[in-house]
Amino acid sequence: MRTAVVVGAGIGGIAAAGALARTGWQVTLLERDDRLRPGRGALVLWPNGVRALRGLGLAGGLDGIATPVPPVGIRRPDGQWLVRPGAGTGDGEDVEPPPVVVHREDLHDAFIAGLSDQVDIRNAIEVQPARVHRERPAVGDGRTTFEADLIVAADGVQSAVRRRLAPVTSFTSGGFAAWRAVIPWYRIPDLPPGLPPHGETLDGGHRFTFASLGERGSSGGSTRGGISWVATVPGALRPEPPAGQLALLRRWFAGWHAPIPQLLAATEPDDLVQEPIGELAPLPETFGVKAGSGGYALIGDAAHAMPHHLAQGACLALEDVATLQAVLANVRGPLAPALDEYSRLRRPRVTRVLQQTRKASTVLQPRSGLTSRAMGAALGRANPRTLDRAAAAATEWAGPTSS
């Protein structure tokens, strides 16, 4: 029986552990935390991410925990339109299904339910770069060494495995910081009638997006309904405790149209998750590294972290897993050819999405000195279809054997 060690139990890591186990591998899942935690907040799944879930056999029940997000357009802080919903969609074009928003805890629960008894979960294991062996597939934390035919690095933007295998690659800040949170319905006051349940607002380098998880009074199948929001501002990560960060957010977005101030007023410090915005540069030369007769596979942010402007992080990680599962399906001998094929399929795809993300960044996160009036002029000069085209190109993924 083939063996694998998956480093990191985030969305990509748990999906990879389950996918390998379902195809006959004996899997060890290593997590640095003392238990598996789903992470807080919500995430967006575009059609390519949903296709990846279907390919992995994990899409069952998605309709019960996910909420469709229709075109929302872009507003100014005073509520005036910069880009109206659907302004970039031409008549007669094939239109993809809308993206969906899902609570991370719901998706985590669905993935955990899909794990089999062929997955051995080890908590409180923090892999060290110096314990990643190039001669054979093995990782360690200074106390224990874990060997396998395949090591899957799903340990995030600061991946210890990648730092050992691709030391010239590092995380480069984009000059912005982001916060996200989910506010449960019971803490959200009654909002003005007719207010759309999803929205996006820009002012210079400041950006605020929000989306409903189900409807008030009905979680839509999820026990974790509410409103998810993401706020982005220029600058580095803030050193203040969460209460201080929340006070800054309320000040920065004061006077913006409803429901932005109301959502921030209903947010509690423990709801906040602060994240840097940036990308891995340069991308690793390969996402699959040979070691003896086996090797290593980099997936998710460990391979290709990038800004969240097109909300493709989770989708790309799921694409990685679906592709890795496909190329390993019929391997009987050394893993090197399969790992080469994995990298051949994934690296160009990721490069294209990164290019589209950079295009979107010039519109969605311009320099912070741009006034609201200048922002409107810039968006007016840009064809409204620019963002739609970037999003469409990012979601163009037919399945794990596409290039």
Side-chain angles (χ1 to χ4, degrees):
M1 179 181 289
R2 295 278 195 178
T3 59
V5 170
V6 178
V7 183
I11 292 295
I14 295 178
L20 290 169
R22 286 191 296 275
T23 52
W25 291 62
Q26 182 66 50
V27 181
T28 301
L29 177 61
L30 306 181
E31 168 58 30
R32 68 166 62 97
D33 238 338
D34 59 357
R35 61 185 177 89
L36 298 189
R37 301 175 190 273
R40 291 176 293 160
L43 53 84
V44 174
L45 294 177
W46 288 82
N48 55 308
V50 175
R51 284 193 288 272
L53 281 177
R54 290 199 184 103
L56 292 167
L58 294 172
L62 183 62
D63 289 345
I65 60 174
T67 303
V69 181
V72 297
I74 304 174
R75 293 179 182 268
R76 303 176 190 267
D78 63 4
Q80 296 298 308
W81 289 109
L82 289 168
V83 177
R84 290 186 176 275
T89 303
D91 293 336
E93 294 184 356
D94 292 333
V95 179
E96 287 268 27
V100 297
V101 60
V102 58
H103 202 293
R104 287 173 181 265
E105 292 185 23
D106 287 325
L107 197 61
H108 177 269
D109 289 351
F111 284 5
I112 291 294
L115 295 181
S116 73
D117 57 7
Q118 288 182 213
V119 178
D120 177 20
I121 300 172
R122 304 287 188 91
N123 294 310
I125 303 292
E126 184 163 3
V127 168
Q128 300 175 8
R131 302 286 176 173
V132 177
H133 299 271
R134 287 179 171 271
E135 301 77 18
R136 68 185 192 280
V139 295
D141 64 350
R143 299 170 300 172
T144 306
T145 298
F146 300 88
E147 297 186 30
D149 298 310
L150 175 69
I151 307 292
V152 179
D155 48 342
V157 66
Q158 300 298 342
S159 169
V161 180
R162 187 201 65 245
R163 279 183 281 161
R164 175 68 169 163
L165 300 177
V168 300
T169 298
S170 61
F171 181 76
T172 301
S173 172
F176 291 86
W179 288 261
R180 54 182 168 84
V182 172
I183 314 305
W185 286 121
Y186 72 85
R187 273 205 265 124
I188 299 174
D190 290 335
L191 301 176
L195 190 71
H198 315 283
E200 179 166 5
T201 305
L202 297 178
D203 185 31
H206 291 67
R207 178 186 180 195
F208 196 100
T209 65
F210 62 93
S212 295
L213 291 161
E215 299 179 359
R216 187 188 293 272
S218 172
S219 59
S222 168
T223 59
R224 305 177 177 101
I227 295 182
S228 166
W229 62 258
V230 178
T232 311
V233 301
L237 294 179
R238 300 297 305 191
E240 296 88 352
Q245 296 172 25
L246 183 56
L248 288 171
L249 287 166
R250 289 170 175 167
R251 187 175 74 200
W252 290 330
F253 292 96
W256 287 39
H257 66 79
I260 294 172
Q262 291 92 335
L263 292 178
L264 289 171
T267 302
E268 296 179 354
D270 287 345
D271 299 324
L272 288 184
V273 179
Q274 182 182 203
E275 300 172 329
I277 296 178
E279 65 183 66
L280 292 186
L283 285 176
E285 291 184 2
T286 178
F287 295 163
V289 178
K290 174 185 175 182
S293 62
Y296 297 84
L298 304 176
I299 70 172
D301 283 350
H304 44 68
M306 64 183 69
H308 66 250
H309 304 309
L310 295 178
Q312 279 291 324
C315 296
L316 290 176
L318 293 171
E319 286 184 22
D320 291 343
V321 176
T323 303
L324 186 62
Q325 181 190 57
V327 301
L328 291 172
N330 298 309
V331 174
R332 296 295 179 264
L335 297 185
L339 292 175
D340 288 343
E341 178 70 357
Y342 168 69
S343 188
R344 185 190 72 79
L345 291 170
R346 293 308 300 155
R347 200 174 184 282
R349 161 70 177 153
V350 166
T351 300
R352 289 196 298 273
V353 176
L354 181 57
Q355 290 169 346
Q356 298 303 325
T357 297
R358 289 169 177 164
K359 289 181 181 179
S361 177
T362 61
V363 177
L364 297 176
Q365 296 294 167
R367 62 187 185 276
S368 60
L370 212 59
T371 65
S372 183
R373 183 183 297 274
M375 167 71 79
L379 282 169
R381 288 192 298 270
N383 188 319
R385 300 184 65 180
T386 300
L387 294 177
D388 288 317
R389 284 171 173 165
T395 61
E396 286 177 347
W397 183 77
T401 57
S402 63
S403 60

